[in-house]
Amino acid sequence: GENVEQHPSTLSVQEGDSAVIKCTYSDSASNYFPWYKQELGKGPQLIIDIRSNVGEKKDQRIAVTLNKTAKHFSLHITETQPEDSAVYFCAASKRENYGQNFVFGPGTRLSVLP
Amino acid sequence: KAGVTQTPRYLIKTRGQQVTLSCSPISGHRSVSWYQQTPGQGLQFLFEYFSETQRNKGNFPGRFSGRQFSNSRSEMNVSTLELGDSALYLCASSLTRQGGSPLHFGNGTRLTVT
């Protein structure tokens, strides 16, 4: 089955710096890759996603890149702010006969230091 | 539009008891999935319901069960609780079961088994 690895497990950056989180997946049939942000006491919130027919997607300070050949995708956060501190999860999904199948990475705890 | 609503937010139960968790999906969303989140195992898929039928099931014992009602609301039941069932239980809804339909999570129910 699909396996998603995520690195680093923890990341500390200074406010204003950039943060990059990387994920790799094993199943070449996976074609949808969302990223989630989970703040303390809340459920994961979708922040950006990318489909396999696209190489890069941006939304203000957040961008995601996808390399299908290498089977990895990355989350880039620029001009980090304290409110970006949270746990971030990547996921890989593909269409199965019974519907979608999401496999999540183990998460990255991002701390933005003021 | 209201998000995914899960009740209750917190539950404390003793070993051997049973528990029922409730989830109301985003209006118009017909697919409801349940996940167990623990520090050691991350986000683990429990099951998915669509049109009142279980469509997919994760690798959990039969003590974990669920159902979906005609209004798409879903309940999850855990019988004969064990200490290891202590976790955050997350419900997620999606618009369709087609590939590339993102999951939208609720804030979860924190279950503590003593």
Side-chain angles (χ1 to χ4, degrees):
Chain A
E2 175 68 279
N3 182 48
V4 177
E5 295 184 355
Q6 184 172 346
H7 299 280
S9 56
T10 60
L11 178 61
S12 293
V13 299
Q14 290 294 136
E15 183 177 355
D17 286 352
S18 295
V20 180
I21 302 170
K22 298 182 179 180
C23 287
T24 60
Y25 60 99
S26 60
D27 189 344
S28 56
S30 290
N31 57 9
Y32 175 61
F33 307 93
W35 283 89
Y36 289 86
K37 173 185 180 183
Q38 187 173 24
E39 297 173 291
L40 200 60
K42 295 187 177 181
Q45 177 188 11
L46 178 72
I47 56 173
I48 196 166
D49 57 8
I50 191 167
R51 289 168 173 75
S52 59
N53 59 347
V54 175
E56 183 175 356
K57 183 177 178 180
K58 274 188 89 169
D59 183 4
Q60 298 182 16
R61 297 186 296 109
I62 294 174
V64 57
T65 58
L66 171 66
N67 183 326
K68 284 190 297 182
T69 304
K71 288 191 284 201
H72 68 70
F73 56 113
S74 299
L75 178 71
H76 304 254
I77 305 174
T78 59
E79 300 171 22
T80 53
Q81 301 167 4
E83 51 265 39
D84 294 329
S85 295
V87 179
Y88 291 80
F89 294 94
C90 63
S93 172
K94 66 177 181 179
R95 180 86 167 93
E96 302 273 12
N97 289 335
Y98 47 78
Q100 299 186 97
N101 179 33
F102 285 87
V103 177
F104 288 84
T108 295
R109 182 173 299 279
L110 172 65
S111 299
V112 179
L113 309 173
Chain B
K1 190 182 271 192
V4 176
T5 303
Q6 290 187 248
T7 57
R9 287 299 310 275
Y10 303 94
L11 269 176
I12 300 175
K13 293 286 188 178
T14 56
R15 275 180 299 174
Q17 286 187 315
Q18 74 157 19
V19 66
T20 299
L21 283 51
S22 181
C23 171
S24 293
I26 292 172
S27 177
H29 285 198
R30 296 171 61 195
S31 172
V32 174
S33 300
W34 288 88
Y35 287 81
Q36 182 194 65
Q37 186 176 33
T38 59
Q41 298 296 318
L43 280 156
Q44 303 266 293
F45 172 72
L46 281 155
F47 28 65
E48 181 207 1
Y49 285 86
F50 184 86
S51 292
E52 302 176 64
T53 302
Q54 187 180 93
R55 304 290 179 157
N56 191 11
K57 191 176 191 303
N59 190 26
F60 278 82
R63 299 185 297 107
F64 293 81
S65 64
R67 59 178 177 168
Q68 186 181 34
F69 302 95
S70 58
N71 61 358
S72 294
R73 192 176 68 85
S74 178
E75 287 182 348
M76 184 192 123
N77 185 274
V78 188
S79 63
T80 319
L81 284 166
E82 300 176 359
L83 294 178
D85 297 333
S86 294
L88 180 67
Y89 289 88
L90 292 161
C91 169
S93 72
S94 63
L95 186 60
T96 73
R97 303 181 66 241
Q98 302 298 318
S101 183
L103 298 176
H104 299 270
F105 286 90
N107 286 329
T109 293
R110 171 76 61 187
L111 173 64
T112 302
V113 182
T114 62

